[in-house]
Amino acid sequence: MNKWIKMFTKESSLIPLMAILLGLLFGALVMLMGGYNPIKAYLALFNKVFGDLYNFGETIRQITPLIFTGLSVAFAFRTGLFNIGAEGQFIMGSLGAVYIGTQFSLPWYIHAPLAIVVGGIMGGLWGAIAGYLKAKRGVHEVITTIMLNWIALFFTNYVVANFLRAPGQQRSEMIQPSASITLNWLSQVFDNARLHLGTLIALLAAIVFYIILWKTKQGYELRAVGFNPHASEYAGMNVSKNMINAMLIGGIFSGLGGAVEVLGVFKYQSISAGFPGYGFDGIAVALIGANTPLGVVLAAILFGILTFGAPGMKLGAGVPVEVIRIVIASVIFFVAASGIVKSIFSLFKRGKEEVLEK
Amino acid sequence: MSILSILSELVHNTIVFSTALIFAALGGVFSERSGVVNIALEGLMIVGAFTGAVITYYVDMSLGGSSWSPWIGFIVAAVVGILFSLFHAAASVTFKADQVVSGVALNFLAAGATVYLVKILFNGAGQTKTLQNVFTKVSIPFLSDIPYLGKAFFTAYPTSYIAFILVAVSYFVLFKTPFGLRLRSVGEHPRAADTMGINVYKMRYLGVMISGALASMGGATIALTTTSNFSHNTVSGQGFIALAAMIFGKWHPIGAMGAALFFGIAQALNSLVQVLGITKYIPVDFIFMLPYILTILVLAGVVGRAVAPASIGKPYEKGSR
C-alpha cells in the first residue's frame, strides 16, 4: 500500500495531477466567463458517464482506443521520438482490419484474430516509415508523421471508396460476423453498449508495453537510446535500428486500436474528410500518463470520461461540448510547461515556509 | 473550355489557394528562424479565421454594412494572433517547455476555444453567420486587361497582393537588416548571440509573435475570401500544409512562397480535375495526397535537402553550455 501512495506522491505523478486540476479549473473559468455554471456542468458530465449502465459501458468503449494510441505515443517517447502519427497508424490499422473483415470468409477463431493482427501490422509499418526516415535520412519524425497522417486518411478513403464501398454509401461494406469482436453477453448486461474484446486487448497491450520496455534487452536499449542516443551509440547499440523498432512497435499499438475499433464498434470504415481524433488525444494521454503503462491507462480513463461525458454537460447545463477540448488543451499545456506548475508549487511552498517562520 | 481559359482559371485559383499558405508559411519562417518550432501554425490560423469572421460580422452590423469591415477583421485577427502566440512563446521560451508539445496544446486550444465561442456568440450554431461583406477582388488597371492571363494574374483579392508584398518585406527584414541578423543568430547559435549582447529571449518572443500575426492573417484570409464564414473545418489542416511549405521552402521566405504556390496548384488542380472529369483517370484522393508525399520526399533528400536552423527546438538557458 505504501508503495502505491509513494507512486502518486512522486513529483513525476504530482505534475500531471496538478495539471489535470489546473485544467479543470481553467475549464470552469471558461464556463463562468461564458455565463455557465461549472459545478452544474461537471456534475452533469459525471452523471452522464456514471448515470446508467449503457453510458458507463459506452464510456469504456471510448476509453479503449485512447489506451492504444496513448501507449503508441508513449512508446515512441521512451525512445526520444515524438509520434504525432498515431492518427494515421490508427486509420491504417482500421483499414487493414476492415479489408480482412469484409473480403474474407473464415471461421471466427481465425477471422477476427487475423483481422486484428493485420491491422496491427499495417499500423506498425506506417509508423516504421517515419522511424526509417528519421534513422536513415535524419528527417524529423514530427513532420513525417503529420504528413503520413494525411496520406493515410486519403489512401484509406481511396481504398474504401474504390474497393470496399457499400453501394450508395459513404462507407465500406459491413465486416463478416465472423470477424466481429463484440462481446454480446457483456453488451447485453450493459444495455447494448458496444463493449468488445478490444478493451481486454488494450489492457494486455499495456502489460506488453511494460514487459518489452522493462524486462527485455531490447527494451533496455530502447530506453537507453531515448535517454542518451550518443552514449548508447558509444556503448555499441544500434541507434537507428532502435528508432525504427520504437516507431514500429508504437505503430502496432495504434494499428491495433484502429482494428478493434472497426471490428468491435462500427463494423465498417467510413469515407471521411477528417481524423477520428484518437491519435491526437493519444498524445495528451501519453503526456499526462508520464509515458508509463499504468499512467497511460489512468489518463485514458480520465480522457474517456471527459470526452464521453461532454455531451452530458450540453444536456444538463447547456455548455457547448468544446469546453472539454479547452480543458484537455490546458492540461497538455500545463504538462508541457511543467515549469509553470512547478512555480505554482514553489509559491505554495514559500507561502508555507513564511507561515512557519512567523 | 479553351486551353487558355483553363490555364487562366488554374492560375487564378492557385493564387487564391496559395495566399493563406504564404501568410502562414512566412509566419513559420520567422518563428523557426528564431529557434522556436511552430507546430501551432494550424491553431494560429484557426484563431485568425475565427477572429476575422467574428470581428467582420460585428463591425458590419454596427456600421450597417461597410466594405471596410473585412479590413478591420483582418487587422484585429493579426493582433489576436500575436496575443495567442504569446502562450507558445511563454511556454517554450520562458518556461522551456517542449516546443512541439506546447504547439500541440495550442492547436487543441484553438480548435476547442473558437468553436466554443462561436456557439456562445451565435446561439449554439456551429458556425458564424455568412458574412455580407468580405474582400472583393481588385483589378490592377491596364495589366488586368491583358487577354486571359492578365485577368488571372492581376485580378485578385487584396490579401493576395499583401501576401506577395510581405514575402519581399520578410526577405528584406530577415536578410538585409540588423534585426533579421539577430533573429537568425539566436536560431543558429543562441550562446554566441548572447555573448554579442543580443537578448535571446526577446528575439525569440518577437519571432513567435510575428509568426502569430502572419499565421493568423492567413487564417483570416480564408474566412474573408473563400468561405465567408467560420466553422470548425474552415482551416482543416492548412496550417500543417503551411508548415510543410515552410520546410519545403527551406526556411526561406521566397522558398516558402514557392512551396505555397506549389501546394496551391495542387489544390487548384483538385477543383479543376473534378470540373474536367479527369478523376476518371487520376483518383482525386491521390491529388489530395500529393503535397504531403512531396514534402516527405523533399525531407528525405530526394528533391534536395533542407537544413533547419541549428538550434531549433532547443530552449535556451542563460549561462548553460
Side-chain angles (χ1 to χ4, degrees), chain A residues 30 82 137 142 322 325 329 336, chain B residues 39 97 100 108 116 119 300 305:
Chain A
V30 169
F82 197 15
R137 292 279 180 169
V142 165
E322 283 73 22
R325 311 304 295 179
Chain B
I39 300 269
V100 176
F108 264 94
Y116 174 73
K119 284 189 174 169
R305 210 165 171 82

Side-chain angles (χ1 to χ4, degrees), chain A residues 30-31 36 82 133 137 139 142-143 147 150-151 154-155 158 280-281 287 322 325-326 329 332-333 336-337 339-340, chain B residues 39 87 95 97 100-101 105 108-109 112-113 115-116 119-120 237 244 247 283 285-286 289 292-293 296 299-300 305:
Chain A
V30 169
M31 282 188 253
Y36 302 107
F82 197 15
L133 288 169
R137 292 279 180 169
V139 188
V142 165
I143 308 295
M147 301 300 135
W150 291 94
I151 298 172
F154 296 126
F155 179 71
Y158 169 72
F280 294 125
D281 286 356
L287 287 169
E322 283 73 22
R325 311 304 295 179
I326 301 176
I332 310 174
F333 189 79
I340 299 177
Chain B
I39 300 269
F87 281 110
F95 291 101
V100 176
V101 178
F108 264 94
L109 185 62
V115 181
Y116 174 73
K119 284 189 174 169
I120 289 178
I247 296 165
D285 292 308
F286 283 94
M289 269 184 236
Y292 305 104
I293 292 175
I296 290 181
L299 288 168
R305 210 165 171 82

Side-chain angles (χ1 to χ4, degrees), chain A residues 189-214:
Chain A
V189 171
F190 281 89
D191 247 349
N192 293 323
R194 294 166 289 177
L195 289 162
H196 56 85
L197 209 57
T199 310
L200 208 63
I201 302 173
L203 295 175
L204 276 174
I207 295 168
V208 170
F209 182 109
Y210 175 77
I211 292 172
I212 294 178
L213 272 183
W214 281 279

Side-chain angles (χ1 to χ4, degrees), chain B residues 15-62:
Chain B
I15 292 173
V16 170
F17 288 127
S18 304
T19 302
L21 295 177
I22 293 175
F23 277 115
L26 279 182
V29 170
F30 275 95
S31 171
E32 303 220 341
R33 280 282 180 173
S34 78
V36 181
V37 175
N38 206 340
I39 300 269
L41 289 181
E42 173 82 5
L44 288 162
M45 283 184 88
I46 294 175
V47 166
F50 163 80
T51 313
V54 169
I55 296 294
T56 303
Y57 175 76
Y58 282 108
V59 169
D60 220 21
M61 289 239 294
S62 55

